[in-house]
Amino acid sequence: MAILLATDFGDAEWAAWWPALQAALPGERLLRSLDEAGGADGGAAAIDVALVANPPRGALAGLPRLRLVQSLWAGVDKLLADPTVPAEVPLARMVDPAMNEAMAETVLWAVLSLHRAHFAYARQQRAHEWRQLPQRRADEVNVAVLGLGQMGRCCALRLAANGYRVSGWSARPAAIAGMPTHAGDAALEGVLRSAEIVVNLLPLTPATRGLFDARRLAMLPRGAALINVARGAHVVDADLLAALDAGQLSHAVLDVFAAEPLPPAHPFWSHPGVTVLPHVAALTDARSAARIAARNVHALREGRALENVVDRARGY
Ligand code: NAP
Ligand code: GLV
């Protein structure tokens, strides 16, 4: 049997992933395309595992012996939305402590930058303006982390360790020592009403798409800030821009967008209240992720339970 790598990798990504996967999966037949498999059926019957990262639509269709789809990305919203990805084959997502750490670094940077007014000072510098703004203590700043999964939990703990007043929100009740947590739709308004900085680490599902619309943004205290490091479609762009223009929000740090790359004419690029990152909050690290993907391949081969299988009904 063989492992199909179905990705949109460019040369630089292949240079990192190919040696990492070969080292993690010795003795396995790794194919970058079906053509490499050969055979009368075009190689389809040779494939029992697909390792995927933004696979081209249709890349996983017509593989009769496929038994595992292992995502090299944490978020699987695009895979679940693609009807050509076989729904009966287990789909596992990437859960890598190295990615959680990277996300915690990005979120800590963004929260510190908002709290200590570094984005405001950057604007002042561009205007040659010398003005000292009030300095607050970290334990005076309320931060809400939406989504307390692999990344949200790691970020919440990192922020709390840096002195912030952190609260969390998830679908099901979660316990994090020393931190108030809330669960379910009914609790969201209360979480937002007391959050000066909101960090979005929810998966994109039918329940969370468009969560940050005019109504929810209006629940935040005036002058609050949003950090979106999950998925762009969580935000209604026009509503966010209106909230920024009205002063309801003071700033947004956005790493993810409904359309990526962010189109050149999009108003986020030049809005003074928006910091744009090119989807880099937590990149998959091939060195560790290849080993994690290999663990599931070995589990499949040895008949053990797969790790991090996506619950298709929940959508994450
Ligand atoms: P995860 O482990 O699946 O955690 C998801 C969390 O969201 C869980 O706590 C879950 O609650 C909660 N949740 C889901 N639906 C909810 C709802 N309707 N209401 C309230 N809470 C809800 O996901 P993760 O690994 O932390 O990743 C989070 C997201 O980050 C990914 O889906 C991806 O979109 C994004 N991401 C971004 C980057 C980047 O570079 N920007 C990198 C990696 C991932 P329960 O615990 O109760 O289930
Ligand atoms: C990146 O956004 C990921 O889901 O891994």
Short mmCIF file of all heavy atoms in Angstrom, two decimals, residues 93-162:
data_model
loop_
_atom_site.label_atom_id
_atom_site.label_comp_id
_atom_site.label_asym_id
_atom_site.label_seq_id
_atom_site.Cartn_x
_atom_site.Cartn_y
_atom_site.Cartn_z
N ARG A 93 -7.07 15.24 12.52
CA ARG A 93 -6.49 16.58 12.34
C ARG A 93 -5.13 16.64 13.04
O ARG A 93 -4.79 15.75 13.84
CB ARG A 93 -7.45 17.66 12.85
CG ARG A 93 -7.63 17.63 14.34
CD ARG A 93 -8.76 18.53 14.78
NE ARG A 93 -8.61 18.82 16.20
CZ ARG A 93 -7.95 19.86 16.66
NH1 ARG A 93 -7.41 20.74 15.84
NH2 ARG A 93 -7.84 20.05 17.96
N MET A 94 -4.36 17.67 12.75
CA MET A 94 -3.05 17.83 13.35
C MET A 94 -3.19 18.44 14.74
O MET A 94 -3.78 19.52 14.89
CB MET A 94 -2.18 18.74 12.45
CG MET A 94 -0.77 18.97 12.96
SD MET A 94 0.14 17.47 13.39
CE MET A 94 0.16 16.57 11.84
N VAL A 95 -2.69 17.75 15.72
CA VAL A 95 -2.60 18.29 17.08
C VAL A 95 -1.15 18.17 17.49
O VAL A 95 -0.64 17.08 17.70
CB VAL A 95 -3.52 17.50 18.05
CG1 VAL A 95 -3.29 17.95 19.49
CG2 VAL A 95 -4.98 17.68 17.67
N ASP A 96 -0.47 19.31 17.55
CA ASP A 96 0.98 19.32 17.76
C ASP A 96 1.30 20.36 18.83
O ASP A 96 1.02 21.55 18.64
CB ASP A 96 1.66 19.68 16.42
CG ASP A 96 3.18 19.68 16.54
OD1 ASP A 96 3.71 19.57 17.66
OD2 ASP A 96 3.84 19.82 15.49
N PRO A 97 1.88 19.93 19.94
CA PRO A 97 2.23 20.89 21.00
C PRO A 97 3.09 22.04 20.47
O PRO A 97 2.99 23.16 20.98
CB PRO A 97 3.02 20.04 22.00
CG PRO A 97 2.55 18.64 21.77
CD PRO A 97 2.20 18.53 20.32
N ALA A 98 3.89 21.79 19.42
CA ALA A 98 4.73 22.87 18.87
C ALA A 98 3.85 23.96 18.26
O ALA A 98 4.17 25.16 18.33
CB ALA A 98 5.69 22.31 17.82
N MET A 99 2.74 23.55 17.66
CA MET A 99 1.81 24.54 17.08
C MET A 99 1.10 25.32 18.18
O MET A 99 0.86 26.52 18.05
CB MET A 99 0.75 23.81 16.26
CG MET A 99 0.97 23.83 14.80
SD MET A 99 -0.35 22.90 14.01
CE MET A 99 -1.03 24.16 12.98
N ASN A 100 0.73 24.61 19.25
CA ASN A 100 0.07 25.30 20.37
C ASN A 100 0.98 26.38 20.94
O ASN A 100 0.55 27.49 21.26
CB ASN A 100 -0.29 24.31 21.47
CG ASN A 100 -1.23 23.22 21.00
OD1 ASN A 100 -1.87 23.35 19.96
ND2 ASN A 100 -1.32 22.14 21.76
N GLU A 101 2.27 26.04 21.05
CA GLU A 101 3.25 27.01 21.58
C GLU A 101 3.37 28.21 20.65
O GLU A 101 3.42 29.35 21.10
CB GLU A 101 4.63 26.34 21.72
CG GLU A 101 4.73 25.38 22.89
CD GLU A 101 4.50 26.07 24.22
OE1 GLU A 101 5.08 27.14 24.46
OE2 GLU A 101 3.69 25.56 25.03
N ALA A 102 3.44 27.93 19.35
CA ALA A 102 3.54 29.03 18.37
C ALA A 102 2.32 29.94 18.48
O ALA A 102 2.44 31.17 18.46
CB ALA A 102 3.67 28.47 16.96
N MET A 103 1.15 29.32 18.62
CA MET A 103 -0.08 30.12 18.74
C MET A 103 -0.05 30.95 20.02
O MET A 103 -0.43 32.12 20.03
CB MET A 103 -1.31 29.20 18.70
CG MET A 103 -2.62 29.94 18.71
SD MET A 103 -2.81 31.08 17.33
CE MET A 103 -3.50 30.01 16.06
N ALA A 104 0.42 30.34 21.10
CA ALA A 104 0.46 31.08 22.38
C ALA A 104 1.41 32.27 22.26
O ALA A 104 1.14 33.35 22.83
CB ALA A 104 0.90 30.14 23.51
N GLU A 105 2.50 32.12 21.53
CA GLU A 105 3.44 33.25 21.34
C GLU A 105 2.75 34.38 20.57
O GLU A 105 2.86 35.55 20.95
CB GLU A 105 4.68 32.79 20.57
CG GLU A 105 5.62 31.91 21.37
CD GLU A 105 6.65 31.19 20.53
OE1 GLU A 105 6.71 31.43 19.30
OE2 GLU A 105 7.40 30.37 21.09
N THR A 106 2.05 34.01 19.49
CA THR A 106 1.38 35.05 18.69
C THR A 106 0.32 35.78 19.52
O THR A 106 0.21 37.01 19.49
CB THR A 106 0.72 34.41 17.44
OG1 THR A 106 1.74 33.82 16.65
CG2 THR A 106 -0.02 35.46 16.62
N VAL A 107 -0.46 34.99 20.25
CA VAL A 107 -1.55 35.59 21.02
C VAL A 107 -0.99 36.46 22.16
O VAL A 107 -1.49 37.57 22.41
CB VAL A 107 -2.50 34.49 21.55
CG1 VAL A 107 -3.45 35.02 22.61
CG2 VAL A 107 -3.29 33.89 20.38
N LEU A 108 0.07 36.00 22.78
CA LEU A 108 0.67 36.82 23.85
C LEU A 108 1.21 38.13 23.27
O LEU A 108 1.00 39.21 23.84
CB LEU A 108 1.79 36.04 24.54
CG LEU A 108 2.51 36.80 25.66
CD1 LEU A 108 1.56 37.22 26.77
CD2 LEU A 108 3.66 35.96 26.24
N TRP A 109 1.87 38.05 22.11
CA TRP A 109 2.38 39.26 21.45
C TRP A 109 1.22 40.23 21.16
O TRP A 109 1.32 41.44 21.43
CB TRP A 109 3.09 38.89 20.14
CG TRP A 109 3.16 40.04 19.18
CD1 TRP A 109 4.04 41.07 19.19
CD2 TRP A 109 2.27 40.28 18.08
NE1 TRP A 109 3.76 41.96 18.17
CE2 TRP A 109 2.68 41.48 17.48
CE3 TRP A 109 1.17 39.60 17.56
CZ2 TRP A 109 2.02 42.03 16.37
CZ3 TRP A 109 0.51 40.14 16.45
CH2 TRP A 109 0.94 41.33 15.87
N ALA A 110 0.13 39.69 20.63
CA ALA A 110 -1.00 40.56 20.25
C ALA A 110 -1.64 41.19 21.49
O ALA A 110 -1.94 42.40 21.50
CB ALA A 110 -2.03 39.76 19.46
N VAL A 111 -1.82 40.39 22.54
CA VAL A 111 -2.45 40.93 23.76
C VAL A 111 -1.53 41.98 24.39
O VAL A 111 -1.99 43.07 24.78
CB VAL A 111 -2.79 39.79 24.75
CG1 VAL A 111 -3.16 40.34 26.12
CG2 VAL A 111 -3.93 38.94 24.19
N LEU A 112 -0.24 41.67 24.48
CA LEU A 112 0.71 42.65 25.05
C LEU A 112 0.72 43.94 24.23
O LEU A 112 0.74 45.05 24.79
CB LEU A 112 2.12 42.06 25.05
CG LEU A 112 2.56 41.30 26.29
CD1 LEU A 112 3.84 40.52 26.01
CD2 LEU A 112 2.79 42.27 27.45
N SER A 113 0.69 43.79 22.91
CA SER A 113 0.74 44.97 22.04
C SER A 113 -0.50 45.83 22.20
O SER A 113 -0.41 47.06 22.17
CB SER A 113 0.89 44.54 20.58
OG SER A 113 2.04 43.76 20.42
N LEU A 114 -1.64 45.18 22.40
CA LEU A 114 -2.88 45.95 22.63
C LEU A 114 -2.86 46.58 24.01
O LEU A 114 -3.13 47.78 24.18
CB LEU A 114 -4.10 45.02 22.48
CG LEU A 114 -4.37 44.53 21.05
CD1 LEU A 114 -5.28 43.31 21.06
CD2 LEU A 114 -4.97 45.65 20.21
N HIS A 115 -2.53 45.79 25.00
CA HIS A 115 -2.54 46.27 26.38
C HIS A 115 -1.57 47.43 26.57
O HIS A 115 -1.90 48.44 27.21
CB HIS A 115 -2.19 45.07 27.29
CG HIS A 115 -1.60 45.42 28.60
ND1 HIS A 115 -0.60 44.67 29.19
CD2 HIS A 115 -1.83 46.43 29.48
CE1 HIS A 115 -0.26 45.19 30.34
NE2 HIS A 115 -0.98 46.27 30.54
N ARG A 116 -0.36 47.32 26.00
CA ARG A 116 0.66 48.37 26.19
C ARG A 116 0.65 49.39 25.05
O ARG A 116 1.59 50.16 24.88
CB ARG A 116 2.03 47.74 26.38
CG ARG A 116 2.16 46.89 27.65
CD ARG A 116 1.85 47.69 28.93
NE ARG A 116 2.63 48.90 29.01
CZ ARG A 116 3.85 48.98 29.55
NH1 ARG A 116 4.39 47.90 30.10
NH2 ARG A 116 4.51 50.11 29.57
N ALA A 117 -0.45 49.39 24.27
CA ALA A 117 -0.72 50.43 23.25
C ALA A 117 0.36 50.50 22.15
O ALA A 117 0.59 51.55 21.56
CB ALA A 117 -0.87 51.80 23.91
N HIS A 118 1.00 49.36 21.87
CA HIS A 118 2.07 49.41 20.86
C HIS A 118 1.54 49.69 19.45
O HIS A 118 2.24 50.31 18.65
CB HIS A 118 2.87 48.10 20.89
CG HIS A 118 3.67 47.96 22.14
ND1 HIS A 118 4.00 46.75 22.69
CD2 HIS A 118 4.20 48.89 22.98
CE1 HIS A 118 4.70 46.93 23.80
NE2 HIS A 118 4.82 48.22 24.00
N PHE A 119 0.32 49.24 19.16
CA PHE A 119 -0.23 49.57 17.83
C PHE A 119 -0.53 51.07 17.77
O PHE A 119 -0.33 51.71 16.74
CB PHE A 119 -1.49 48.75 17.55
CG PHE A 119 -1.24 47.26 17.52
CD1 PHE A 119 -1.93 46.40 18.37
CD2 PHE A 119 -0.31 46.71 16.65
CE1 PHE A 119 -1.70 45.04 18.34
CE2 PHE A 119 -0.06 45.34 16.61
CZ PHE A 119 -0.76 44.49 17.47
N ALA A 120 -1.02 51.63 18.88
CA ALA A 120 -1.30 53.08 18.92
C ALA A 120 0.01 53.87 18.78
O ALA A 120 0.07 54.88 18.06
CB ALA A 120 -2.02 53.43 20.22
N TYR A 121 1.07 53.40 19.46
CA TYR A 121 2.36 54.10 19.34
C TYR A 121 2.91 54.00 17.92
O TYR A 121 3.55 54.94 17.43
CB TYR A 121 3.36 53.54 20.35
CG TYR A 121 3.07 53.97 21.78
CD1 TYR A 121 2.99 53.05 22.82
CD2 TYR A 121 2.87 55.32 22.08
CE1 TYR A 121 2.71 53.44 24.12
CE2 TYR A 121 2.58 55.72 23.39
CZ TYR A 121 2.50 54.78 24.39
OH TYR A 121 2.21 55.17 25.68
N ALA A 122 2.67 52.88 17.25
CA ALA A 122 3.14 52.75 15.85
C ALA A 122 2.42 53.79 14.98
O ALA A 122 3.02 54.41 14.10
CB ALA A 122 2.88 51.34 15.34
N ARG A 123 1.11 53.98 15.26
CA ARG A 123 0.37 55.01 14.49
C ARG A 123 0.93 56.38 14.81
O ARG A 123 1.11 57.22 13.93
CB ARG A 123 -1.13 54.96 14.85
CG ARG A 123 -1.88 53.83 14.19
CD ARG A 123 -3.39 54.04 14.27
NE ARG A 123 -3.88 54.02 15.64
CZ ARG A 123 -4.25 52.90 16.29
NH1 ARG A 123 -4.15 51.72 15.68
NH2 ARG A 123 -4.70 52.95 17.52
N GLN A 124 1.22 56.63 16.10
CA GLN A 124 1.77 57.94 16.50
C GLN A 124 3.12 58.18 15.82
O GLN A 124 3.42 59.29 15.39
CB GLN A 124 1.94 58.00 18.03
CG GLN A 124 0.62 58.13 18.76
CD GLN A 124 0.79 58.35 20.27
OE1 GLN A 124 -0.18 58.20 20.99
NE2 GLN A 124 1.96 58.70 20.75
N GLN A 125 3.94 57.13 15.74
CA GLN A 125 5.25 57.31 15.10
C GLN A 125 5.09 57.75 13.65
O GLN A 125 5.80 58.66 13.19
CB GLN A 125 6.06 56.01 15.17
CG GLN A 125 7.45 56.17 14.53
CD GLN A 125 8.30 54.92 14.62
OE1 GLN A 125 7.94 53.96 15.29
NE2 GLN A 125 9.41 54.93 13.93
N ARG A 126 4.13 57.10 12.96
CA ARG A 126 3.94 57.47 11.55
C ARG A 126 3.52 58.93 11.44
O ARG A 126 3.81 59.61 10.46
CB ARG A 126 2.91 56.54 10.89
CG ARG A 126 3.49 55.16 10.59
CD ARG A 126 2.59 54.36 9.65
NE ARG A 126 1.35 53.93 10.28
CZ ARG A 126 1.24 52.82 11.03
NH1 ARG A 126 2.30 52.06 11.24
NH2 ARG A 126 0.08 52.49 11.55
N ALA A 127 2.85 59.46 12.47
CA ALA A 127 2.39 60.87 12.47
C ALA A 127 3.38 61.79 13.18
O ALA A 127 3.09 62.98 13.39
CB ALA A 127 1.02 60.96 13.14
N HIS A 128 4.57 61.28 13.55
CA HIS A 128 5.59 62.06 14.29
C HIS A 128 4.98 62.69 15.55
O HIS A 128 5.26 63.83 15.88
CB HIS A 128 6.20 63.16 13.38
CG HIS A 128 6.93 62.62 12.20
ND1 HIS A 128 7.90 63.32 11.54
CD2 HIS A 128 6.85 61.44 11.55
CE1 HIS A 128 8.38 62.59 10.52
NE2 HIS A 128 7.74 61.45 10.53
N GLU A 129 4.17 61.90 16.22
CA GLU A 129 3.46 62.43 17.40
C GLU A 129 4.07 61.83 18.67
O GLU A 129 4.12 60.61 18.83
CB GLU A 129 1.97 62.04 17.30
CG GLU A 129 1.13 62.57 18.45
CD GLU A 129 -0.32 62.07 18.39
OE1 GLU A 129 -0.68 61.34 17.44
OE2 GLU A 129 -1.08 62.41 19.30
N TRP A 130 4.52 62.73 19.58
CA TRP A 130 5.11 62.30 20.86
C TRP A 130 4.04 62.46 21.94
O TRP A 130 3.71 63.57 22.34
CB TRP A 130 6.32 63.19 21.17
CG TRP A 130 7.03 62.82 22.45
CD1 TRP A 130 6.68 63.21 23.72
CD2 TRP A 130 8.20 62.03 22.58
NE1 TRP A 130 7.55 62.69 24.63
CE2 TRP A 130 8.51 61.96 23.96
CE3 TRP A 130 9.02 61.36 21.67
CZ2 TRP A 130 9.61 61.26 24.44
CZ3 TRP A 130 10.11 60.68 22.16
CH2 TRP A 130 10.40 60.63 23.54
N ARG A 131 3.44 61.33 22.37
CA ARG A 131 2.36 61.43 23.37
C ARG A 131 2.33 60.15 24.18
O ARG A 131 2.27 59.06 23.62
CB ARG A 131 1.01 61.63 22.66
CG ARG A 131 -0.17 61.85 23.61
CD ARG A 131 -1.34 62.49 22.87
NE ARG A 131 -1.85 61.66 21.79
CZ ARG A 131 -2.91 60.86 21.89
NH1 ARG A 131 -3.58 60.79 23.02
NH2 ARG A 131 -3.32 60.15 20.86
N GLN A 132 2.42 60.32 25.53
CA GLN A 132 2.39 59.14 26.39
C GLN A 132 0.94 58.79 26.74
O GLN A 132 0.17 59.66 27.14
CB GLN A 132 3.20 59.41 27.65
CG GLN A 132 4.69 59.58 27.33
CD GLN A 132 5.53 59.92 28.54
OE1 GLN A 132 5.02 60.44 29.53
NE2 GLN A 132 6.82 59.67 28.43
N LEU A 133 0.62 57.51 26.56
CA LEU A 133 -0.73 57.04 26.85
C LEU A 133 -0.73 56.38 28.23
O LEU A 133 0.33 55.99 28.74
CB LEU A 133 -1.16 56.03 25.78
CG LEU A 133 -1.19 56.62 24.35
CD1 LEU A 133 -1.37 55.52 23.31
CD2 LEU A 133 -2.31 57.65 24.22
N PRO A 134 -1.91 56.27 28.87
CA PRO A 134 -1.95 55.67 30.21
C PRO A 134 -1.39 54.25 30.20
O PRO A 134 -1.55 53.52 29.23
CB PRO A 134 -3.45 55.65 30.55
CG PRO A 134 -4.08 56.62 29.62
CD PRO A 134 -3.23 56.69 28.39
N GLN A 135 -0.72 53.90 31.31
CA GLN A 135 -0.15 52.54 31.43
C GLN A 135 -0.96 51.75 32.45
O GLN A 135 -1.09 52.16 33.59
CB GLN A 135 1.30 52.67 31.88
CG GLN A 135 1.99 51.34 32.14
CD GLN A 135 3.43 51.53 32.57
OE1 GLN A 135 4.25 52.04 31.81
NE2 GLN A 135 3.73 51.17 33.80
N ARG A 136 -1.51 50.61 32.00
CA ARG A 136 -2.30 49.77 32.92
C ARG A 136 -1.52 48.52 33.26
O ARG A 136 -0.62 48.11 32.54
CB ARG A 136 -3.62 49.39 32.26
CG ARG A 136 -4.49 50.58 31.94
CD ARG A 136 -5.66 50.15 31.10
NE ARG A 136 -6.60 49.34 31.86
CZ ARG A 136 -7.47 48.50 31.32
NH1 ARG A 136 -7.49 48.30 30.02
NH2 ARG A 136 -8.32 47.83 32.08
N ARG A 137 -1.91 47.93 34.40
CA ARG A 137 -1.28 46.67 34.79
C ARG A 137 -1.99 45.51 34.07
O ARG A 137 -3.19 45.60 33.77
CB ARG A 137 -1.41 46.46 36.30
CG ARG A 137 -0.70 47.48 37.15
CD ARG A 137 -0.56 46.94 38.58
NE ARG A 137 -1.78 46.27 39.05
CZ ARG A 137 -2.59 46.76 39.98
NH1 ARG A 137 -2.33 47.92 40.57
NH2 ARG A 137 -3.66 46.09 40.36
N ALA A 138 -1.27 44.43 33.83
CA ALA A 138 -1.86 43.27 33.15
C ALA A 138 -3.07 42.75 33.92
O ALA A 138 -4.08 42.36 33.32
CB ALA A 138 -0.82 42.17 32.99
N ASP A 139 -3.00 42.80 35.25
CA ASP A 139 -4.11 42.22 36.02
C ASP A 139 -5.33 43.13 36.05
O ASP A 139 -6.34 42.80 36.68
CB ASP A 139 -3.66 41.83 37.43
CG ASP A 139 -3.27 43.02 38.28
OD1 ASP A 139 -3.39 44.17 37.80
OD2 ASP A 139 -2.84 42.82 39.44
N GLU A 140 -5.25 44.25 35.32
CA GLU A 140 -6.44 45.11 35.16
C GLU A 140 -7.11 44.87 33.80
O GLU A 140 -8.11 45.52 33.49
CB GLU A 140 -6.02 46.58 35.25
CG GLU A 140 -5.48 46.97 36.61
CD GLU A 140 -4.87 48.36 36.62
OE1 GLU A 140 -4.13 48.70 35.66
OE2 GLU A 140 -5.14 49.11 37.56
N VAL A 141 -6.54 44.00 32.99
CA VAL A 141 -7.03 43.81 31.62
C VAL A 141 -7.77 42.48 31.51
O VAL A 141 -7.21 41.42 31.77
CB VAL A 141 -5.86 43.85 30.61
CG1 VAL A 141 -6.38 43.67 29.19
CG2 VAL A 141 -5.08 45.16 30.74
N ASN A 142 -9.07 42.56 31.12
CA ASN A 142 -9.88 41.35 30.95
C ASN A 142 -9.73 40.80 29.54
O ASN A 142 -10.04 41.50 28.57
CB ASN A 142 -11.37 41.68 31.15
CG ASN A 142 -11.68 41.97 32.60
OD1 ASN A 142 -11.17 41.30 33.50
ND2 ASN A 142 -12.50 42.98 32.83
N VAL A 143 -9.27 39.57 29.45
CA VAL A 143 -9.11 38.92 28.15
C VAL A 143 -10.01 37.69 28.12
O VAL A 143 -9.99 36.89 29.05
CB VAL A 143 -7.65 38.47 27.91
CG1 VAL A 143 -7.48 37.89 26.50
CG2 VAL A 143 -6.67 39.62 28.13
N ALA A 144 -10.81 37.57 27.05
CA ALA A 144 -11.64 36.37 26.89
C ALA A 144 -11.09 35.53 25.76
O ALA A 144 -10.81 36.05 24.67
CB ALA A 144 -13.08 36.76 26.58
N VAL A 145 -10.91 34.26 26.02
CA VAL A 145 -10.44 33.33 24.99
C VAL A 145 -11.64 32.47 24.58
O VAL A 145 -12.20 31.74 25.41
CB VAL A 145 -9.28 32.46 25.50
CG1 VAL A 145 -8.86 31.45 24.44
CG2 VAL A 145 -8.09 33.33 25.91
N LEU A 146 -12.05 32.59 23.33
CA LEU A 146 -13.18 31.79 22.82
C LEU A 146 -12.63 30.54 22.15
O LEU A 146 -11.87 30.62 21.19
CB LEU A 146 -14.01 32.60 21.82
CG LEU A 146 -14.51 33.98 22.26
CD1 LEU A 146 -15.53 34.52 21.27
CD2 LEU A 146 -15.09 33.97 23.67
N GLY A 147 -13.01 29.39 22.69
CA GLY A 147 -12.45 28.11 22.24
C GLY A 147 -11.37 27.71 23.21
O GLY A 147 -10.35 28.39 23.33
N LEU A 148 -11.61 26.62 23.92
CA LEU A 148 -10.64 26.15 24.93
C LEU A 148 -10.15 24.76 24.57
O LEU A 148 -10.04 23.88 25.41
CB LEU A 148 -11.29 26.14 26.32
CG LEU A 148 -11.68 27.51 26.86
CD1 LEU A 148 -12.44 27.38 28.18
CD2 LEU A 148 -10.45 28.39 27.04
N GLY A 149 -9.86 24.58 23.27
CA GLY A 149 -9.31 23.31 22.82
C GLY A 149 -7.80 23.32 22.95
O GLY A 149 -7.24 23.96 23.86
N GLN A 150 -7.16 22.63 22.03
CA GLN A 150 -5.70 22.51 22.08
C GLN A 150 -5.02 23.87 22.16
O GLN A 150 -4.13 24.10 22.97
CB GLN A 150 -5.22 21.78 20.82
CG GLN A 150 -5.71 20.35 20.72
CD GLN A 150 -5.09 19.48 21.79
OE1 GLN A 150 -3.96 19.70 22.19
NE2 GLN A 150 -5.83 18.49 22.26
N MET A 151 -5.44 24.77 21.31
CA MET A 151 -4.75 26.06 21.22
C MET A 151 -5.30 27.08 22.21
O MET A 151 -4.53 27.80 22.85
CB MET A 151 -4.87 26.61 19.81
CG MET A 151 -4.17 25.70 18.85
SD MET A 151 -3.80 26.47 17.31
CE MET A 151 -3.06 25.05 16.53
N GLY A 152 -6.63 27.11 22.33
CA GLY A 152 -7.22 28.10 23.23
C GLY A 152 -6.76 27.91 24.67
O GLY A 152 -6.43 28.87 25.37
N ARG A 153 -6.71 26.67 25.08
CA ARG A 153 -6.30 26.37 26.46
C ARG A 153 -4.84 26.80 26.68
O ARG A 153 -4.51 27.43 27.69
CB ARG A 153 -6.46 24.86 26.69
CG ARG A 153 -6.25 24.40 28.09
CD ARG A 153 -6.62 22.93 28.18
NE ARG A 153 -8.05 22.73 28.20
CZ ARG A 153 -8.74 22.48 29.32
NH1 ARG A 153 -8.14 22.39 30.48
NH2 ARG A 153 -10.04 22.31 29.29
N CYS A 154 -3.99 26.47 25.73
CA CYS A 154 -2.56 26.82 25.84
C CYS A 154 -2.41 28.35 25.89
O CYS A 154 -1.63 28.89 26.70
CB CYS A 154 -1.82 26.22 24.64
SG CYS A 154 -0.06 26.46 24.66
N CYS A 155 -3.18 29.04 25.04
CA CYS A 155 -3.10 30.51 25.02
C CYS A 155 -3.64 31.11 26.31
O CYS A 155 -3.05 32.05 26.87
CB CYS A 155 -3.89 31.07 23.84
SG CYS A 155 -3.15 30.66 22.26
N ALA A 156 -4.76 30.58 26.79
CA ALA A 156 -5.35 31.10 28.03
C ALA A 156 -4.36 30.97 29.19
O ALA A 156 -4.18 31.89 29.99
CB ALA A 156 -6.65 30.35 28.33
N LEU A 157 -3.72 29.81 29.26
CA LEU A 157 -2.75 29.59 30.35
C LEU A 157 -1.55 30.53 30.21
O LEU A 157 -1.04 31.06 31.20
CB LEU A 157 -2.30 28.13 30.37
CG LEU A 157 -3.38 27.14 30.84
CD1 LEU A 157 -2.96 25.71 30.53
CD2 LEU A 157 -3.65 27.31 32.34
N ARG A 158 -1.08 30.75 28.97
CA ARG A 158 0.07 31.64 28.75
C ARG A 158 -0.29 33.07 29.16
O ARG A 158 0.51 33.77 29.79
CB ARG A 158 0.49 31.58 27.28
CG ARG A 158 1.69 32.45 26.92
CD ARG A 158 2.98 31.94 27.55
NE ARG A 158 3.27 30.58 27.16
CZ ARG A 158 3.95 30.22 26.06
NH1 ARG A 158 4.44 31.13 25.27
NH2 ARG A 158 4.14 28.95 25.78
N LEU A 159 -1.51 33.48 28.81
CA LEU A 159 -1.92 34.85 29.17
C LEU A 159 -2.06 34.99 30.68
O LEU A 159 -1.62 35.99 31.27
CB LEU A 159 -3.25 35.19 28.48
CG LEU A 159 -3.20 35.29 26.95
CD1 LEU A 159 -4.60 35.39 26.37
CD2 LEU A 159 -2.36 36.50 26.53
N ALA A 160 -2.65 33.98 31.31
CA ALA A 160 -2.81 34.03 32.78
C ALA A 160 -1.44 34.06 33.45
O ALA A 160 -1.23 34.79 34.43
CB ALA A 160 -3.62 32.83 33.25
N ALA A 161 -0.49 33.30 32.90
CA ALA A 161 0.86 33.28 33.49
C ALA A 161 1.54 34.64 33.37
O ALA A 161 2.46 34.95 34.13
CB ALA A 161 1.70 32.20 32.81
N ASN A 162 1.07 35.44 32.41
CA ASN A 162 1.62 36.79 32.24
C ASN A 162 0.78 37.84 32.98
O ASN A 162 0.94 39.03 32.73
CB ASN A 162 1.75 37.13 30.76
CG ASN A 162 3.02 36.53 30.17
OD1 ASN A 162 4.06 37.16 30.12
ND2 ASN A 162 2.94 35.26 29.78
#
